[in-house]
Amino acid sequence: MLAGAFLAGIMNAIAGGGTLITFPLLIWLGLDPKVANATSTVALWPGLFGGLFGYRKELENSSTLLVRLGATSVIGGAVGAWLLIATPSPTFSRMVPFLILFATILFMAQGPIVRWLQLQPIAGEPKTSWWLGAIVFQFFAAIYGGYFGAGNGILMLAAMGLLGLHEIHRANGIKNFLGVCINSIAVLSFALTHLVVWPDALLMSVGALGGGYLGASMAVRIGEAWVRRGIVLIGFVIFFAMIWRLRG
């Protein structure tokens, strides 16, 4: 559990998808899928703080973006967590891998799409239409993140790229902050409804915290091109892993 959470923390700091390690691992160890999902969310939550600390320099001059999208993430995350607690949806679960595949392809095609739409890099003071698009997308991404969340980081990175935020390390830092907002409300909800196996969650949180900081440090050092390739690779791995799990 410690090693799996450490690797998941690295993945979440770079792009996302750590849930696809911890969630199947907890099911393999005998937990009910719903309990495994909640326990995995709590376990990986500290790793997001580690990643956020690793990207702290990239987040300078982003306070307005963080506050507005952060508030949106808290609300959307609460809705998603409530959906998991009240009405688990097998149909939605079957859509998840294809949603991740779409987001990965969107991320790969980000450059040509931006050129075709003639989108400009994010300005110092974005227009109202930019904020509206960013808030609406983040709200639905946060609902998904509160409900399950595997690959939610890739969705957020793809959206930020299309909205004109092309600095990958800054986008990763913002993504980690929004992940903290989404998972914080989900962790509170799952704890109050007694869905968390705390001994497992606390042990794994130690590994996730170390992995999150290491992942952010690795991403900043290895450069933007390699990070982009890593994000695409992680996206396809998550897609095929989830298809395999659904077939099983």
Side-chain angles (χ1 to χ4, degrees), residues 69-141:
L69 296 188
T72 303
S73 298
V74 170
I75 297 170
V79 173
W82 179 84
L83 286 174
L84 176 69
I85 294 166
T87 54
S89 172
T91 302
F92 182 75
S93 295
R94 292 185 179 277
M95 291 174 58
V96 168
F98 302 101
L99 187 62
I100 292 170
L101 178 64
F102 171 76
T104 305
I105 294 173
L106 190 65
F107 188 84
M108 291 172 64
Q110 175 184 309
I113 291 174
V114 168
R115 288 192 292 272
W116 179 58
L117 295 176
Q118 297 183 331
L119 296 175
Q120 299 299 314
I122 182 172
E125 197 58 47
K127 296 180 180 178
T128 302
S129 58
W130 188 96
W131 281 115
L132 180 61
I135 288 171
V136 169
F137 188 93
Q138 184 58 30
F139 177 70
F140 286 104

Side-chain angles (χ1 to χ4, degrees), residues 154-232:
I154 292 175
L155 282 172
M156 290 192 286
L157 286 174
M160 284 187 276
L162 289 177
L163 288 166
L165 209 167
H166 305 318
E167 303 166 63
I168 190 63
H169 297 315
R170 185 186 179 201
N172 248 328
I174 293 170
K175 177 262 299 178
N176 271 31
F177 175 81
L178 299 180
V180 167
C181 295
I182 294 168
N183 280 10
S184 293
I185 194 68
V187 164
L188 178 62
S189 301
F190 298 151
L192 291 175
T193 51
H194 309 291
L195 284 177
V196 181
V197 179
W198 287 104
D200 293 354
L202 293 174
L203 175 64
M204 296 174 76
S205 67
V206 175
L209 181 61
Y213 179 73
L214 178 62
S217 301
M218 287 171 53
V220 172
R221 284 201 303 266
I222 63 180
E224 182 171 319
W226 284 103
V227 171
R228 289 187 177 276
R229 291 168 191 163
I231 290 169
V232 171

Side-chain angles (χ1 to χ4, degrees), residues 52-64:
L52 186 63
F53 182 75
Y55 285 116
R56 63 193 182 281
K57 293 182 180 178
E58 283 69 35
L59 289 178
E60 295 176 357
N61 304 317
S62 300
S63 57
T64 303

